Amino acid sequence: MRAKVTKAIFPVAGLGTRFLPATKSVPKEIMTLVDRPLVQYAIDEARAAGIKEFIFVTSRGKGALEDYFDNAPQLEQELRRKGKTELLDLLKSTNMDSGEIAYMRQHKPLGLGHAVWCARRLIANEPFAVILPDDVVAAEKPCLAQMVEAFEEKQGNFVACMEVPEDNTGSYGILDVKEDMGTVVSTKGMIEKPAPEDAPSNLAVIGRYILTPKVLQQLNKKKTGAGGEIQLTDAIADAREGGEEVFGYRFSGHRFDCGSKAGFLQATVAFALARDDLRDDLMGYLSDVVHAPKAAQ
Ligand code: G1P
């Protein structure tokens, strides 16, 4: 029988230094696009792909994340008393069932590969998804659901990918392409953050993965790579050398890099413009600003 993907790891232990001073007290994953935290987008995408168990790899100072997914009985009671049923439903839709969510601490910032390895006992011997909440993908069919479909057809490891400008390869895991079949790309290797002159292509890994337990076995070796960190990219590439297939998946949709300020602002505007209650006002404001930029200063 073909394996199903029912577990997802959300590595959220990063310090979020690019958003200081905000991230001094607020985990960056709680920062909101319009009115929903980044992490809510990630959870919704996972659910839409059939994920049933949500594993967060956290670190010191991320308590607000656990509170966010907890029930808020007092707040619910207050909204019920005031008859604010729409808000009450919205609030309840963010509650997680008992046992559905698990938190694992990454005690030292040793890299993305290490963060995923921290969740190994909860994954055991099944394929699993990894979602990096910094990467927000707006798509008609959510990105991970697209990948699960491809996985169910082919099995193997899948990484979401997209073309990036050649001088940006140093910010991503980059695929060494074996065969380009359009949506799916087979690979003969992957390199973490290569300089443009060393990059085998400009096809970059985006923060959605479906991986097999072989990758966890590779992570057990705790090999350090780019930046002196234990890289997920290296473990996936090494699983390929051990006889497993690794596919790149060119998703349809638009990816926002919400780990950067510019990307976060673009996502905020895009998600606000997609909202019936905000579109007209914001459109009017944006066109004023664009035509008379001083208005925003
Ligand atoms: C991580 C991965 C990298 C991937 C990127 C996607 O890097 O290590 O391979 O391309 O996410 O956003 P980070 O952005 O955490 O440095």
Side-chain angles (χ1 to χ4, degrees):
M1 212 184 77
R2 297 198 148 210
K4 277 208 167 298
V5 187
T6 60
K7 296 179 180 177
I9 300 176
F10 301 82
V12 292
L15 293 174
T17 46
R18 280 195 275 178
F19 282 94
L20 280 171
T23 43
K24 199 172 153 197
S25 67
V26 182
K28 71 173 168 181
E29 299 78 15
I30 289 287
M31 290 179 23
T32 59
L33 292 179
V34 188
D35 50 15
R36 278 152 31 103
L38 286 180
V39 73
Q40 187 67 53
Y41 289 88
I43 288 277
D44 291 349
E45 185 177 329
R47 261 197 217 291
I51 299 299
K52 307 274 183 256
E53 288 178 53
F54 305 81
I55 303 161
F56 279 75
V57 181
T58 68
S59 59
R60 183 176 293 274
K62 299 278 179 164
L65 271 168
E66 296 191 28
D67 290 345
Y68 176 78
F69 287 117
D70 205 352
N71 291 10
Q74 248 181 339
L75 193 53
E76 285 180 18
Q77 203 181 347
E78 199 54 23
L79 292 174
R80 203 171 292 115
R81 199 177 62 78
K82 291 188 170 149
K84 298 195 168 177
T85 45
E86 242 174 71
L87 275 182
L88 184 61
D89 290 345
L90 180 70
L91 190 65
K92 282 163 100 179
S93 72
T94 63
N95 292 348
M96 302 291 278
D97 281 344
S98 303
E100 201 179 33
I101 190 162
Y103 301 95
M104 192 57 89
R105 278 261 176 135
Q106 184 188 24
H107 295 112
K108 290 184 191 158
L110 297 179
L112 178 59
H114 179 260
V116 168
W117 178 81
C118 288
R120 67 201 177 281
R121 293 211 169 79
L122 296 174
I123 296 294
N125 202 28
E126 293 171 37
F128 58 98
V130 177
I131 295 189
L132 309 186
D134 273 5
D135 279 329
V136 174
V137 182
E140 215 162 287
K141 178 186 264 190
C143 181
L144 192 64
Q146 297 174 35
M147 292 171 72
V148 163
E149 240 172 52
F151 170 82
E152 284 176 352
E153 209 174 288
K154 273 190 170 1
Q155 305 283 293
N157 297 278
F158 281 79
V159 298
C161 64
M162 65 184 254
E163 266 83 16
V164 296
E166 262 148 41
D167 51 359
N168 285 358
T169 55
S171 302
Y172 298 96
I174 298 292
L175 302 185
D176 192 353
V177 176
K178 184 160 81 183
E179 193 187 349
D180 194 335
M181 297 164 277
T183 305
V184 175
V185 172
S186 71
T187 67
K188 52 181 173 326
M190 276 167 77
I191 307 183
E192 180 67 9
K193 304 198 169 95
E197 58 274 22
D198 302 325
S201 75
N202 68 333
L203 207 48
V205 178
I206 297 309
R208 303 289 182 277
Y209 306 77
I210 296 177
L211 302 174
T212 67
K214 273 257 159 40
V215 174
L216 294 177
Q217 287 166 22
Q218 292 298 336
L219 287 171
N220 273 333
K221 298 181 184 162
K222 308 230 182 103
K223 187 176 109 182
T224 51
E229 295 189 341
I230 299 172
Q231 296 293 351
L232 185 57
T233 299
D234 295 343
I236 301 170
D238 292 348
R240 210 199 57 80
E241 277 163 23
E244 287 228 332
E245 290 260 40
V246 177
F247 299 104
Y249 184 87
R250 278 197 188 91
F251 56 95
S252 46
H254 187 93
R255 172 254 185 176
F256 294 96
D257 174 12
C258 291
S260 79
K261 285 170 209 168
F264 193 90
L265 288 170
Q266 287 160 16
T268 302
V269 173
F271 281 87
L273 287 176
R275 289 259 300 246
D276 292 342
D277 57 335
L278 298 171
R279 186 181 309 113
D280 292 349
D281 270 2
L282 185 59
M283 276 284 229
Y285 175 72
L286 288 177
S287 86
D288 287 354
V289 172
V290 169
H291 292 114
K294 284 225 154 27
Q297 285 169 13

